[in-house]
Amino acid sequence: MNTKTYWLFGSQQQILSSELDTNAHYDLIEGLFPPGTQSPLHVHANYTETIIVLEGEAIIFTPGNERILKQGQSFFIPRNVPHAIVNNSASESFKALAIASPSGFAHLIRSVGIPDAGFNECPAQAHDMQVAMQIMINLGDTILGPPGARP
């Protein structure tokens, strides 16, 4: 199994399984979202995403829906559904598993993410957004708005 940890848009993402392990059927990612972390509003055209909260509390926004997930709860995000994932806590991180099917998300993380240096802190280094945009186009991912934007 190829396990790697990266920082992507403020959250720590550990690739547990990817297209390299699953014949491109799915990616299994463990994400740690520090207090106040929000994903950009985005959509996946070519894969679904299932979020399973392991620790803490996550809020997932989809069109017309604000879903609070606590430990052990999950949420399925079909293809082409805009969404944002938020840690609204001022003091607690949340940890979740993400299952992307078929594979795609792990490739984005490996290509755009900043390798974790082992300090469990988000690095100050910026992402190469030109590379990120090209990979997202290839994957069918689109950022629809900045963190804080809602569908």
Side-chain angles (χ1 to χ4, degrees):
M1 185 181 324
N2 183 13
T3 304
K4 299 282 184 179
T5 304
Y6 301 86
W7 287 89
L8 183 69
F9 303 126
S11 63
Q12 187 184 55
Q13 303 292 324
Q14 182 180 24
I15 300 170
L16 302 176
S17 293
S18 71
E19 75 282 0
L20 305 173
D21 310 302
T22 69
N23 201 26
H25 291 289
Y26 69 92
D27 297 323
L28 180 62
I29 311 295
E30 182 179 279
L32 179 69
F33 290 72
T37 304
Q38 301 183 34
S39 73
L41 176 61
H42 63 285
V43 64
H44 311 290
N46 296 323
Y47 56 91
T48 65
E49 188 173 12
T50 300
I51 306 295
I52 305 163
V53 174
L54 302 174
E55 298 173 8
E57 182 177 290
I59 304 172
I60 300 178
F61 292 91
T62 56
N65 190 14
E66 176 181 329
R67 178 79 182 270
I68 297 172
L69 298 178
K70 297 181 185 288
Q71 184 176 357
Q73 294 181 314
S74 64
F75 188 78
F76 176 73
I77 305 165
R79 292 178 182 166
N80 299 310
V81 173
H83 58 283
I85 302 170
V86 176
N87 181 351
N88 209 32
S89 173
S91 60
E92 300 292 324
S93 294
F94 83 78
K95 185 183 288 187
L97 288 177
I99 303 165
S101 178
S103 292
F105 188 36
H107 177 68
L108 175 67
I109 293 168
R110 276 194 312 273
S111 301
V112 178
I114 300 165
D116 182 61
F119 303 115
N120 284 333
E121 290 181 9
C122 186
Q125 176 183 349
H127 296 290
D128 184 332
M129 290 308 292
Q130 286 186 326
V131 170
M133 297 307 286
Q134 186 58 54
I135 290 174
M136 286 187 281
I137 288 168
N138 294 343
L139 290 174
D141 290 357
T142 305
I143 293 179
L144 302 172
R150 303 290 181 254

